[in-house]
Amino acid sequence: MTTAAAEPDPAEDAVAGPAADRPRRARGEQTRQLILETALRLFRERGYAETTMRAIAKEAGVAVGNAYYYFDSKEHLIQGFYDRNQAAHRAAAEQVLAREKDLAPRLRGVLHAGIDVNAPYHSFAATFFKSAAEPSSPLSPFSRESSPAREAAIAIFREVVDGSTAKLDPELRKELPELLWLGWMGVILFWVYDNSPDQRRTRRLIDGAVPLIDRLVSLSRLRVLRPALRQVLALIETVRRDDD
C-alpha cells in the first residue's frame, strides 16, 4: 500500500513561486491519480455503492481528509474518471483519425476505440449504470456536472465529421456530432449489458450500424429529403431549448 504526499498548501505555493511549485503540483497529481486508480479498482472489486471514500483512502494509503481534498465525493471521483476516459478515448482514436478520410471508417474506428478504452471497467459497469441512469444523478452523462466530459466526447465526434470528406448539409454538419454522441450513448448502454465473450455483440452492432449511418448521411443531401431533415433538426432544437 502506497502512502501519498500530503496535499499542497496554497499559501506555500504563493510564496514558493512558479518554478518551486512544479514539483509540488507533480506530487499532487500523483496523489490524485493514486486515489482515482484505487477507487476504480475498488469499484470493480466491491461495487460502486459498497465502496466508501474512507475505504478508498485507506486502500490508497492517504488520510481521509487528503482524499476529500482532491475529490469532494464519490461522484467527483466518477467525474474524474469521465474526464480521464475521454482523454484516453481521444488518444486511442488518433491513428484512425489521422489515417482515414471517409466518414464510415473514421466513425467505426472511433467507436471501437471507445469500447477498447472502456473494456477494463465492464465488470462493474452494470451496477454503476444504475446510479448514472437516475435523471437527477450528477453521474448522468446528461447532467450539468458531466458537461466537461460530455463536451469532450462530442468534440471527438466533431473531429470525425469535420476531418472527413463527407459532403453534408450545413445544418446537419452542425448537429451531427451531438447526434453521433447520442448514438454512442446507446452503444454504451448495449455494451453495459452485453455478456457475450469480449462483448462481441457490441462490436457487431457497431460494424452493422456504421454503414447505415453513413448511408443516411449521404441520403440527407437529396433535395427530396431536405424538408424532413429540417423538421428533424427543428425538433432537436426545440427539445434542447425546452431543456434549457
Side-chain angles (χ1 to χ4, degrees), residues 135 140-144 147 150-151 178 181-182 235-244:
S140 167
F142 302 95
S143 71
R144 177 181 57 80
S147 59
R150 182 170 62 250
E151 290 304 318
E178 186 169 351
W181 173 75
L182 288 170
L235 175 60
I236 293 171
E237 181 58 31
T238 298
V239 171
R240 183 186 292 127
R241 191 166 56 247
D242 286 347
D243 188 55
D244 291 340

Side-chain angles (χ1 to χ4, degrees), residues 197-213:
D198 299 319
Q199 289 70 60
R200 293 173 191 165
R201 288 190 298 163
T202 302
R203 304 282 188 178
R204 289 199 295 266
L205 173 64
I206 291 171
D207 291 339
V210 166
L212 294 175
I213 294 170

Side-chain angles (χ1 to χ4, degrees), residues 65-85:
N66 206 357
Y68 277 109
Y69 175 85
Y70 291 99
F71 300 98
D72 290 344
S73 64
K74 284 200 302 182
E75 287 78 10
H76 284 84
L77 272 164
I78 293 300
Q79 296 302 334
F81 166 66
Y82 283 167
D83 294 338
R84 194 184 66 171
N85 184 272

Side-chain angles (χ1 to χ4, degrees), residues 29-117:
E29 182 59 24
Q30 288 175 355
T31 302
R32 187 179 188 277
Q33 290 303 318
L34 171 64
I35 295 168
L36 181 56
E37 290 289 347
T38 302
L40 293 175
R41 176 169 60 81
L42 292 181
F43 292 160
R44 289 195 297 269
E45 294 173 358
R46 305 179 185 181
Y48 175 76
E50 290 73 22
T51 302
T52 64
M53 288 291 287
R54 182 173 296 277
I56 292 167
K58 181 179 179 180
E59 192 71 15
V62 302
V64 176
N66 206 357
Y68 277 109
Y69 175 85
Y70 291 99
F71 300 98
D72 290 344
S73 64
K74 284 200 302 182
E75 287 78 10
H76 284 84
L77 272 164
I78 293 300
Q79 296 302 334
F81 166 66
Y82 283 167
D83 294 338
R84 194 184 66 171
N85 184 272
Q86 292 310 319
H89 188 182
R90 177 63 186 81
E94 280 184 358
Q95 287 190 359
V96 70
L97 291 174
R99 183 179 66 248
E100 302 291 351
K101 295 303 178 185
D102 290 341
L103 179 63
R106 287 172 70 84
L107 178 58
R108 183 184 300 109
V110 164
L111 295 177
H112 279 294
I115 296 300
D116 292 338
V117 166

